[in-house]
Amino acid sequence: MSAPMLSGLYGLVIAGSGVAIAWLAWRLGVLALYVGLASGFVFLGPFLAMGLYSISYQRQQGRRPTLAFSLSQARAHVRDTLVLGVCLLVVLLVWARAAMIMSVLRPSDAFPTWHDLIPYLGIGTAVGALFCAIVFAATAFSLCMLLDRRVDAITAVDTSINATLRNRTAMLVWALSIVAVVMLGFVTLLLGFVLLLPLIGCATWHAYNQTIDASAWPRREPA
């Protein structure tokens, strides 16, 4: 609410990216989907997330949130966010390969019963949940820490995973909340992301401040 225009701008860009990837996948096939998701994980995703966190960061510093400052902070962390993005891309590609392998479990009948679908859906859900947990644990606080402290990407990811494992119940509730928000965004044909994703970004920054003791690393002083 304190930065509605800037928050809405980031939300529009994220929702627009989702629409663009869906349109390309529909027109050009699965290859376009892979290319869109890969570029999102490596370049667009971390960059936009860093910009969203910067809104709360600027308010915490007593500043009026501006797009120029937000973009300058994101640009200053390009190297670390690229490292994190590449790691996420590797997980994404392994995940996609695992999903293709599991397709052999899909019933061959044209009209399978629920009993026939149980092995396919059960194993698919378990494997998908495992990959989701890996991505969630690695990114829950790492980008916020990169923005706030002078650390490298590996240290930030390690800290994020450690904090997730030490707060399993709270982080499970947080993860399920994000899933619910994402589902709501899809139900609204991605329009809900314009409001909901900036809200998640703001909440993530506050969760980072309340969960991580990063006093061992010096703060990144704003330029």
Side-chain angles (χ1 to χ4, degrees):
M1 295 299 294
S2 65
M5 298 296 292
L6 186 54
S7 298
L9 177 61
Y10 276 109
L12 282 172
V13 172
I14 296 172
S17 301
V19 171
I21 292 174
W23 183 81
L24 286 173
W26 176 66
R27 290 295 301 270
L28 303 178
V30 177
L31 178 60
L33 178 62
Y34 275 113
V35 172
L37 290 175
S39 60
F41 268 100
V42 176
F43 300 107
L44 192 60
F47 191 82
L48 289 174
M50 194 75 78
L52 276 176
Y53 301 150
S54 177
I55 297 175
S56 296
Y57 172 87
Q58 292 176 68
R59 293 193 68 249
Q60 184 172 293
Q61 297 292 323
R63 297 171 173 264
R64 182 177 65 85
T66 64
L67 179 61
F69 189 90
S70 181
L71 292 177
S72 68
Q73 280 195 297
R75 187 169 59 249
H77 300 82
V78 168
R79 184 184 64 181
D80 291 322
T81 56
L82 281 178
V83 171
L84 182 57
V86 170
C87 294
L88 292 176
L89 175 60
V90 172
V91 176
L92 169 69
L93 294 177
V94 175
W95 189 349
R97 178 58 59 182
M100 293 180 64
I101 293 174
M102 286 187 299
S103 64
V104 301
L105 298 174
R106 188 167 50 201
S108 57
D109 296 340
F111 301 99
T113 64
W114 279 108
H115 184 270
D116 297 328
L117 288 171
I118 286 176
Y120 174 63
L121 295 178
I123 296 176
T125 300
V127 173
L130 174 62
F131 281 101
C132 280
I134 294 172
V135 173
F136 174 73
T139 59
F141 304 114
S142 54
L143 285 171
C144 292
M145 190 172 182
L146 286 172
L147 184 67
D148 184 46
R149 299 286 173 167
R150 294 185 180 277
V151 298
D152 58 88
I154 302 303
T155 300
V157 169
D158 182 60
T159 303
S160 179
I161 294 174
N162 185 49
T164 302
L165 293 177
R166 287 172 177 241
N167 301 275
R168 294 183 182 86
T169 302
M171 297 306 289
L172 177 61
V173 174
W174 178 231
L176 293 176
S177 300
I178 294 176
V179 171
V181 166
V182 171
M183 293 303 296
L184 184 58
F186 282 126
V187 168
T188 58
L189 301 179
L190 304 184
L191 292 177
F193 287 151
V194 177
L195 172 64
L196 295 174
L197 290 184
L199 182 64
I200 289 291
C202 179
T204 301
W205 177 261
H206 288 286
Y208 158 75
N209 278 282
Q210 295 179 25
T211 305
I212 304 294
D213 177 12
S215 57
W217 295 274
R219 289 190 179 275
R220 290 187 184 271
E221 296 300 330

